[in-house]
């Protein structure tokens, strides 16, 4: 990790004051850090309470390891001040120092583990402690062997004062020790790995933490800096709203007001019937995981790593990540979402790169006057339209999809005197119908007509189907399922997955202003011109159209096809024959207890899947009310089948190897 000075714009006046106080303390003690320790501690403790100690944003840490930014080097070379930026799961090697070190946390929290030699000269972990903001530690060599890590779910920034000129020394580290921390700290622990930190992965980890015994740890892998957000809640745009009112978005079915109560505790005024920004929900899930870890008897470890391969078999797996990390696990839960789709683009052609609306910066380069082509008119398209409307977009927007269907909109519930739909009676009538799509559709249409005649809303009928959709799907013969997918799926999704009224109002405002044009058709040609614009041709009901656009946004949503997903992990599992698509191409084929079904039809013992690609078995598995149940059931299945006790390390293993380092690690 090369040393570099932080941008001067990031260094607040508090750093200069801290440097002056450290220099004064060393002057008074004739350069002795031991005599000056008290004054240096006090100076750093005061500095860590300064919200403006660092201004703006420091460069983000890479995925593989933490990042160090030099803030000050003493002109006399007696000390250096640096900021370290840690993502969840980042950790140092076990190491000692060539100089004294005083450090503390400015944002987030860290865990420090001190190591000592036992009677046989082997390094063993002596104690661990959590360092919160304002808490300071001081180390003097020799006997200063420790390891620092970020076990939190959010990035951490810590301030370190080293008794050396790091520009000349290159590093504060004297040596690192390959002691295999897992072997010493976690010997005998049963390890459960969860791959993916979106809703499904986060909630599966939460339920494992709730139920695991003290001899277990849960390791959650998430490549993004924050767990809980995933693709759905990773947005920071406040116009991207949840599709379900806040009062129905609890992560726990037995505490329906949990999310709404969290909003109140955070000082975010919102009614239970309102639609909250999705970024709030991502923050909420992170807090749910923190609380579960705080009260769990088991241990939680979050690794900011991209898993690329799983090896092993039958309860003895190696989870391998892109940065070279490896984890031995008894069971692995795959909680990955669906790959991006291009179903609206004809196969066999090379298509130019398009903006990904799930990228946080996707619309930053869209000028209000730009002409924009949006391919797809589903929920993703509505997010794009809402954000463009909020930005005051005035250039032409063309949105096109095969059927040209926009999602339906929620409406406020009727008042106290409004008639109530007999949902239970309707479900009982459905249960008497033959399991044929035509008969079921006829019965639903009849119920909608009856509800409308009684002054009720068609949405009440659709809502009444939600609790029994999974059982209806399970009872349908394969032929009827295929008929539903082929003929009714897109129409069902427009009325089932509805959007917030504010999002629909944004799209309507663009249409009424003559900005938005909507077509039912398909893309016939898309080409990037030398000017950087795009030339597009499309077909629609009235014939065909063509135009040039400044930006093209792929809002086709996601696909359930596993092959060609550009996911190294899925490619790895497909190559082993450990995973397969279901026969209808809706997602991952699993057993009734969420274990993967192999290519030959067998069950992979110890690898599970939870997430939206469970559609083949449950159909409804893309929204929180269904996914929260699947996550709890998956965790229960993992623990039910987990009977293996981890094997101890062989006694012949070399316990430690010390090696010199210059700039491989900075701490």
């Amino acid at each position: 990790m090369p040393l570099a000075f932080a941008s001067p714009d990031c260094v607040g006046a508090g750093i200069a004051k801290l440097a002056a106080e450290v220099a004064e303390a060393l002057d008074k003690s004739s350069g002795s850090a031991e005599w000056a320790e008290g004054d240096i501690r006090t100076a750093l403790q005061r500095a860590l309470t300064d919200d403006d100690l660092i201004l703006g944003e420091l460069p983000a840490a890479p995925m593989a390891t933490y990042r160090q930014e030099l803030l000050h080097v003493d002109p006399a070379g007696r000390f250096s001040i640096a900021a370290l930026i840690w993502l969840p799961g980042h950790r140092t090697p076990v190491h000692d120092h060539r100089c004294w070190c005083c450090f503390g946390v400015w944002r987030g929290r860290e865990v420090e583990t001190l190591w000592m030699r036992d009677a046989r000269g082997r390094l063993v972990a002596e104690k661990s402690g959590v360092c919160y903001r304002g808490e300071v530690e001081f180390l003097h060599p020799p006997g200063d062997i420790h390891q620092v890590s970020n076990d939190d779910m959010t990035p951490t920034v810590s301030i370190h004062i080293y008794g050396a000129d790091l520009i000349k020394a290159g590093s504060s580290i004297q040596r690192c020790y390959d002691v295999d921390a897992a072997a010493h700290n976690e010997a005998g622990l049963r390890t459960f790995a969860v791959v993916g930190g979106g809703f499904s992965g986060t909630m599966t980890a939460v339920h494992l933490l709730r139920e695991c015994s003290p001899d277990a740890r849960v390791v959650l892998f998430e490549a993004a800096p924050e767990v809980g957000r995933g693709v759905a809640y990773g947005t920071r745009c406040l116009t991207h709203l949840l599709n379900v009112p806040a009062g129905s978005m609890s992560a726990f079915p037995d505490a329906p007001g949990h999310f709404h109560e969290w909003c109140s505790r955070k000082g975010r005024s919102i009614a239970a019937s309102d639609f909250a920004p999705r970024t709030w929900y991502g923050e909420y899930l992170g807090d749910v995981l923190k609380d579960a870890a705080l009260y769990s008897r088991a241990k939680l470890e979050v690794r900011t790593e991209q898993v690329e391969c799983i090896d092993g078999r039958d309860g003895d797996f190696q989870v391998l990540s892109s940065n070279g990390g490896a984890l031995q696990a008894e069971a692995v839960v795959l909680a990955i979402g669906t790959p991006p789709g291009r179903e609206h683009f004809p196969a066999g052609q090379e298509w130019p790169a398009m903006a990904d609306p799930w990228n946080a910066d996707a619309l930053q380069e869209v000028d209000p006057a730009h002409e924009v082509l949006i391919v797809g008119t589903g929920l993703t398209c509505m997010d794009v339209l809402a954000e463009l409307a909020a930005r005051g977009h005035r250039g032409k927007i063309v949105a096109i999809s095969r059927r040209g269907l926009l999602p339906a909109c929620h409406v406020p519930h009727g008042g106290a005197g409004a008639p109530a739909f007999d949902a239970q009676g309707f479900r009982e009538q459905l249960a008497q119908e033959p399991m044929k799509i035509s008969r079921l559709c006829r019965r639903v249409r009849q119920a909608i007509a009856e509800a409308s005649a009684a002054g009720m809303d068609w949405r009440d009928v659709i809502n009444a189907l939600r609790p029994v959709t999974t059982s209806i799907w399970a009872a349908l013969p394969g032929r009827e399922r295929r008929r539903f997918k082929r003929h009714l799926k897109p129409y069902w999704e427009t009325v089932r997955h509805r959007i917030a009224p504010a999002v629909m109002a944004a799209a309507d405002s663009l249409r009424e202003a003559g900005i938005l044009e909507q077509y039912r058709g398909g893309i016939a040609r898309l080409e990037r011109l030398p000017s950087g614009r795009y030339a597009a041709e499309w077909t629609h009901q009235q014939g065909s159209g063509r135009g040039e656009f400044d930006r093209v946004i792929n809002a086709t949503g996601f696909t359930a096809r596993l092959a060609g997903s550009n996911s190294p992990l899925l490619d790895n599992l497909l190559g082993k024959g450990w995973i397969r698509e279901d026969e209808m191409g809706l997602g991952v084929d699993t057993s009734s207890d969420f274990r993967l079904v192999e290519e030959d039809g067998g069950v992979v013992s110890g690898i599970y899947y939870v997430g939206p690609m469970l559609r083949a078995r449950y159909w409804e598995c893309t929204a929180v009310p269904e996914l929260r149940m699947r996550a709890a059931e998956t965790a229960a299945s993992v623990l039910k089948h987990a009977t293996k006790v981890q094997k101890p390390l062989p006694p012949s293993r070399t316990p430690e190897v010390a090696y010199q380092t210059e700039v491989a690690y900075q701490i």
Side-chain angles (χ1 to χ4, degrees), residues 117-123 651 655-656:
R117 295 190 181 276
D118 63 13
R120 300 170 61 182
R122 298 177 304 179
L123 279 178
E656 69 171 270

Side-chain angles (χ1 to χ4, degrees), residues 485-504:
K485 178 188 176 186
R486 183 166 60 251
H487 299 295
L488 295 178
K489 175 177 174 287
Y491 300 97
W492 167 257
E493 290 182 340
T494 60
V495 299
R496 168 63 185 82
H497 301 290
R498 304 188 292 275
I499 58 175
V503 177
M504 182 61 79

Side-chain angles (χ1 to χ4, degrees), residues 197-220:
F199 179 90
S200 297
T202 299
M203 290 309 300
T204 301
V206 166
H207 288 291
L208 286 171
L209 289 167
R210 282 182 158 196
E211 301 299 331
C212 277
S213 56
D215 66 340
R217 65 168 170 162
V218 178
V219 181
L220 179 60

Side-chain angles (χ1 to χ4, degrees), residues 9 61 66 88 112 134 152 157 186 192 202 219 249 302 371 379 402 414 538 550 555 560 593 613 629 659:
D9 295 336
Y66 55 90
E112 182 191 26
D152 204 359
V157 178
E186 296 153 352
F192 305 105
T202 299
V219 181
M249 283 295 292
V302 177
E371 295 181 294
L379 296 174
R402 287 178 179 173
W538 61 92
D550 298 287
D593 54 7
M613 288 194 285
M629 293 190 294
Y659 57 91

Side-chain angles (χ1 to χ4, degrees), residues 470-483:
T470 295
S471 58
I472 291 174
W473 179 257
L476 285 174
R479 178 173 176 271
E480 295 300 313
R481 291 189 187 186
R482 286 188 286 272
R483 290 183 64 198

Side-chain angles (χ1 to χ4, degrees), residues 227-265:
V227 298
R229 293 192 175 274
V231 173
Y233 311 117
T235 177
R236 304 294 183 180
C237 180
L238 295 178
T239 63
H240 293 168
L241 304 180
L242 295 170
N243 296 325
V244 176
S248 301
M249 283 295 292
S250 170
F252 305 101
D254 55 350
H258 195 260
F259 172 62
H260 186 232
E261 293 165 3
W262 176 90
C263 291
S264 299
R265 290 196 302 272

